[in-house]
């Protein structure tokens, strides 16, 4: 069992080749995930960028790392600049290169610096904080398969929270990594200009039909949700459509285990 004590990150070993790297000292409670194969490793998202997540991945593996970006929002691309191989869905290539659309830097700096409960590193300066921008190594599409040696990951395009949002299914373990499409405690966001309520509900329906899911790992809050939640998701999709709620301005809709805000 790996035991890493760190001043900013919390590391939890999910199994002998899978690790959650969490930032519980920030109100977002962001999770990134390291999946180790026999030939390569995959890092799903790189966190807030308040501190350098590479410090943790270097302690967990010496294999070459591929970064798979669930979506190009500041809280998931914070340490992208520390890695050579970065992949993003084709619909958010422009966001990664030219910046996140319709989100002012003033708002980002306000959000990254508020409600922090543990000391931040001296290198973190909110006033000059800027999300990563750069060219990706490659682009992802729906249905792509990533082989890392005795471990195959399937890419699902799941837009709604953002245009190029993806979910990632680990076929060998049954783990479904849902980024900001599905998590608990706080609402899933689909109420700001770059979101799409219709696409979000379509994406929720899409993941609810993925077979052999054993565990759900969202990008925020509780670490590891029971796969039975996908049944609740299926019911929620039906209810939202039948009640004509899938549109901007209808508010927060609560279901058993999760909620959505349009």
């Amino acid at each position: 069992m790996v035991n890493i004590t760190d001043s900013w990150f919390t590391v939890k070993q999910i199994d002998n080749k899978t690790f959650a790297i969490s930032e519980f000292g920030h109100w977002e409670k962001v999770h990134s995930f390291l999946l180790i194969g026999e030939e390569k490793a995959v890092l799903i998202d790189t966190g807030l960028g308040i501190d350098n997540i590479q410090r943790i991945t270097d302690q967990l593996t010496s294999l070459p790392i591929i970064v798979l970006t669930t979506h190009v929002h500041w809280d998931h691309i914070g340490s992208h600049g520390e890695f050579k191989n970065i992949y993003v869905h084709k619909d958010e290539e422009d966001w990664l290169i030219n910046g996140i659309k319709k989100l002012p830097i003033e708002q980002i700096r306000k959000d990254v610096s508020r409600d922090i409960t543990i000391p931040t590193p001296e290198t973190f300066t909110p006033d000059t904080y800027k999300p990563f921008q750069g060219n990706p190594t490659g682009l992802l599409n729906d249905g792509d398969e990533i082989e890392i040696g005795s471990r195959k990951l399937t890419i699902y395009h799941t837009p709604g929270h953002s245009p190029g949002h993806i979910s990632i299914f680990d076929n060998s373990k049954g783990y479904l990594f849902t980024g900001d499409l599905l998590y608990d405690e706080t609402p899933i966001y689909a109420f700001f200009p770059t979101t799409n309520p219709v696409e979000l509900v379509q994406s929720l329906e899409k993941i609810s039909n993925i077979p052999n899911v054993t565990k759900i790992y969202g990008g925020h809050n509780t670490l590891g949700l029971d796969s039975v939640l996908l049944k609740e998701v299926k019911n929620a999709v039906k209810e939202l459509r039948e009640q004509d709620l899938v549109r901007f301005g209808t508010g927060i809709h609560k279901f058993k285990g999760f909620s959505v805000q349009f």
Side-chain angles (χ1 to χ4, degrees):
M1 204 73 174
V2 174
N3 185 17
I4 293 176
T5 301
D6 188 84
S7 58
W8 180 255
F9 297 100
T10 300
V11 180
K12 180 178 180 180
Q13 186 168 356
I14 295 170
D15 61 44
N16 63 344
K17 291 188 176 182
T18 311
F19 299 87
I21 306 171
S22 305
E23 298 176 73
F24 288 119
H26 188 271
W27 64 276
E28 291 255 24
K29 298 179 184 177
V30 174
H31 308 301
S32 304
F33 299 93
L34 183 68
L35 285 54
I36 300 174
E38 292 185 354
E39 301 165 4
K40 300 175 185 178
V42 157
L43 179 61
I44 299 175
D45 294 338
T46 62
L48 293 158
I50 287 175
D51 209 343
N52 184 359
I53 203 171
Q54 190 183 39
R55 179 175 71 245
I56 303 299
T57 60
D58 281 350
Q59 296 178 66
L60 294 172
T61 185
S62 59
L63 292 171
I65 290 176
I66 300 168
V67 172
L68 299 182
T69 313
T70 61
H71 61 299
V72 181
H73 280 166
W74 59 271
D75 50 325
H76 296 266
I77 61 171
S79 288
H80 268 38
E82 306 299 328
F83 299 91
K84 292 180 180 178
N85 295 306
I86 299 169
Y87 289 79
V88 65
H89 189 271
K90 61 182 179 65
D91 289 350
E92 287 180 18
E93 178 186 18
D94 178 64
W95 287 25
L96 196 68
I97 296 170
N98 297 310
I100 303 163
K101 301 303 180 189
K102 299 182 180 181
L103 187 58
I105 188 64
E106 294 80 11
Q107 185 63 49
I108 292 173
R109 288 172 178 167
K110 180 181 177 181
D111 287 340
V112 76
S113 61
R114 71 178 175 89
D115 300 333
I116 296 175
T117 58
I118 62 176
T120 57
E122 292 182 2
T123 53
F124 174 58
T125 310
D127 291 344
T128 58
Y129 177 92
K130 186 178 180 182
F132 171 83
Q133 286 181 230
N135 291 298
T137 308
L139 302 179
L140 300 169
N141 290 279
D142 187 55
D144 282 353
E145 293 185 341
I146 312 293
E147 294 274 1
I148 59 174
S150 299
R151 200 166 188 178
K152 182 172 71 176
L153 310 177
T154 302
I155 305 298
Y156 288 86
H157 182 210
T158 51
H161 177 71
S162 68
H165 190 287
I166 62 168
S167 298
I168 301 160
F169 183 60
D170 180 354
N171 293 270
S172 65
K173 303 287 187 179
Y175 303 153
L176 179 62
F177 299 93
T178 54
D180 281 9
L181 174 63
L182 182 62
Y183 49 76
D184 68 350
E185 294 184 5
T186 54
I188 298 155
Y189 288 174
F191 62 86
F192 42 83
T194 54
T195 63
N196 186 312
V198 172
E199 288 185 346
L200 184 91
V201 170
Q202 289 172 343
S203 293
L204 286 171
E205 183 175 42
K206 186 174 188 174
I207 64 166
S208 75
N209 290 314
I210 297 174
N212 304 316
V213 175
T214 59
K215 206 78 173 178
I216 301 161
Y217 291 97
H220 300 272
N221 302 330
T222 300
L223 184 58
L225 302 172
D226 197 289
S227 60
V228 72
L229 182 61
L230 294 179
K231 293 182 180 179
E232 299 299 329
V233 168
K234 195 182 290 281
N235 293 335
V237 166
K238 182 180 179 183
E239 181 178 327
L240 287 167
R241 287 173 174 163
E242 287 179 348
Q243 296 185 17
D244 189 28
L245 296 171
V246 188
R247 49 193 169 82
F248 286 128
T250 61
I252 297 174
H253 309 289
K254 296 181 179 181
F255 304 98
K256 187 177 179 182
F258 76 107
S259 60
V260 181
Q261 185 174 1
F262 294 139

